[in-house]
Amino acid sequence: MVVLYACGTSQPARRNVLSRTSPPANQKPANPDNNRNPNQTTFTKPEQITTRKPPEERPVVNTKVERREEPETDNTTAANTSAGYRSPAFYRNITDSIQRVAAKPSYYKITENLFKEMAVVPNPKNPAVNSQWYTTVNFDARKPNFVILHHTAQTSAEQTLFTFSVSRTSVSAHFVVGRDGVTYQMLNEYMRAWHAGRSKWGSITDMNSCSIGIEIDNNGTEPFSDAQISSLIKLLGYLKDKFGIPQANFIGHSDIAPVRKNDPSKYFPWKRLADAGFGYWYDSTNLAEPPADFNALLALRVIGYDITTPASAIQSFKLHFIQNDSSPMLTDYDKKVLYNVYRKY
Ligand SMILES: [Zn+2]
C-alpha cells in the first residue's frame, strides 16, 4: 500500500494521514460571523486577480476520490488519461480535477473568511477592551521572517500537489519545487501554511506563523538536481528581497524539529545556498580551535536549536553542516565547525 506521508519523518508513519477527517481544532480558521458587532467594519472579498493561463479543461472526475484513502486502479481518471497508476500523470490529472471541483473554491472561501476576521476591531471576544472604538490608519500586514526548507519524501511533484490539495492531509506549503525546476505556488505568502508542525527555533514555538514553507520534490535518498536548486535559489532571492528575510533565517525542517524530522536530507546543498546568501555555512579553511571552556550545547542553543533532547539537537546540526555522519556525538572537527557557525550568530 502506498502511503502519503509528511515530509522527512524520522519515524515510520503510524497511519495514513489521509485518514484524518479534519484539521486540529487549534488550526481551524475561526468563523468570523460569530459574535459580529454590526458597528464593526469588514472587508469585502477582493476581485481575484490572475495572470496565469487557466489550466486546460480536463474531464471532471468523481469527487469521491478525495474521500478515498486509496484511489483504485480502475477508476475513470486513470482510464481517461491512460496514466499509469500513481504516475505523475495520474496525480496531475486527479489534482487538476480536485482543484477545479473543490480546492480553489475552498481557497477563496477561507481567504474571504480570514479577511473578514482580520478587519474586525475591536475583537468582541477580548474582555479587556471596554472603550469606544478608535482606529489607526498606520499599518500593514505581518510578514514572514523565516524560510523553512523541506524535502517531500514523495516520488513526484504531482503527488505532493495532490497531497496538499485535499483537506484530510492537513499539510501544505507555500511552494513546491519540482525535480525539473518547475516551481508551483500553492498559497499566498501572507497566509499561514501547515508545514512546520510541532517545532521550535530559539524561543519561537509557532514557526508556521512566521515562515514560508518550501517543499522540494525529493524522496530523501537521492541527490537534488541542478535545475531544481537553481529554481530554488531564484525563489529564495525573491522572498529574501520582498520580505527582508535575514540570511540566518533560511533553515531546514530538521533544524526546527530535531526529534521528529530529517528533511532536507544529507544530500541537500546547504553550502551552495549559503554561498548565494541563504543560510550560513562554516568557513572551510582556518577553522579555529574552540576555547577550552566551549559549551557545545549552549552554542547550539544560541544558533537556535531546541536542546531539550541533546542527542537529537546534535544530529540535526550534523545533518545540516556535517552531512556524512549522523551519529549523536561531536568529534573535534564537528566542534570546530559548530564553534565557527555559532560565531556567525
Ligand atoms: Zn518537512
Side-chain angles (χ1 to χ4, degrees), residues 6-9 148-152 195-196 214-215 252-254 261-264:
C7 60
T9 305
I148 307 299
L149 300 172
H150 307 252
H151 71 228
T152 60
H195 60 96
I214 301 177
E215 287 281 359
H253 199 188
S254 60
K261 295 293 178 178
N262 60 5
D263 66 304

Side-chain angles (χ1 to χ4, degrees), residues 54-272:
E56 61 186 75
E57 284 301 308
R58 294 172 187 269
V60 176
V61 298
N62 188 342
T63 56
K64 285 182 179 177
V65 72
E66 193 178 359
R67 295 189 288 275
R68 287 180 189 158
E69 291 194 6
E70 288 289 308
E72 296 175 11
T73 52
D74 61 351
N75 80 21
T76 55
T77 305
N80 286 346
T81 62
S82 300
Y85 179 52
R86 291 201 179 278
S87 67
F90 173 87
Y91 279 116
R92 184 59 189 242
N93 188 273
I94 58 175
T95 303
D96 285 354
S97 299
I98 290 170
Q99 285 285 312
R100 188 168 67 254
V101 171
K104 286 179 180 172
S106 295
Y107 186 102
Y108 295 141
K109 186 65 181 174
I110 294 168
T111 55
E112 182 179 5
N113 286 342
L114 286 172
F115 290 150
K116 288 177 181 175
E117 183 179 6
M118 286 189 283
V120 172
V121 288
N123 186 334
K125 295 181 180 177
N126 183 350
V129 175
N130 54 11
S131 72
Q132 72 180 95
W133 175 42
Y134 293 92
T135 182
T136 181
V137 294
N138 307 312
F139 65 96
D140 58 7
R142 297 174 197 261
K143 298 181 294 184
N145 198 235
F146 286 82
V147 170
I148 307 299
L149 300 172
H150 307 252
H151 71 228
T152 60
Q154 294 189 322
T155 56
S156 70
E158 289 79 5
Q159 185 183 4
T160 302
L161 297 174
F162 168 75
T163 301
F164 295 167
S165 295
V166 292
S167 60
R168 292 185 180 190
T169 61
S170 294
V171 292
S172 61
H174 295 86
F175 299 94
V176 177
V177 182
R179 286 170 166 78
D180 55 3
V182 173
T183 299
Y184 304 85
Q185 181 165 11
M186 301 195 75
L187 181 64
N188 186 280
E189 300 99 322
Y190 287 101
M191 298 297 183
R192 181 176 180 270
W194 298 346
H195 60 96
R198 180 162 43 82
S199 53
K200 187 179 181 186
W201 189 249
S203 297
I204 303 172
T205 56
D206 182 4
M207 295 302 298
N208 280 338
S209 284
C210 62
S211 69
I212 288 171
I214 301 177
E215 287 281 359
I216 304 158
D217 178 30
N218 182 284
N219 67 14
T221 61
E222 60 188 340
F224 295 79
S225 75
D226 184 67
Q228 190 174 39
I229 299 304
S230 295
S231 290
L232 174 64
I233 287 175
K234 185 176 181 181
L235 173 60
L236 296 181
Y238 168 79
L239 297 172
K240 185 178 186 181
D241 289 345
K242 180 174 182 181
F243 298 110
I245 298 172
Q247 180 168 354
N249 290 2
F250 293 80
I251 52 180
H253 199 188
S254 60
D255 292 316
I256 63 171
V259 175
R260 298 189 308 115
K261 295 293 178 178
N262 60 5
D263 66 304
S265 74
K266 65 179 181 181
Y267 298 104
F268 191 68
W270 284 111
K271 181 180 186 306
R272 180 174 170 188

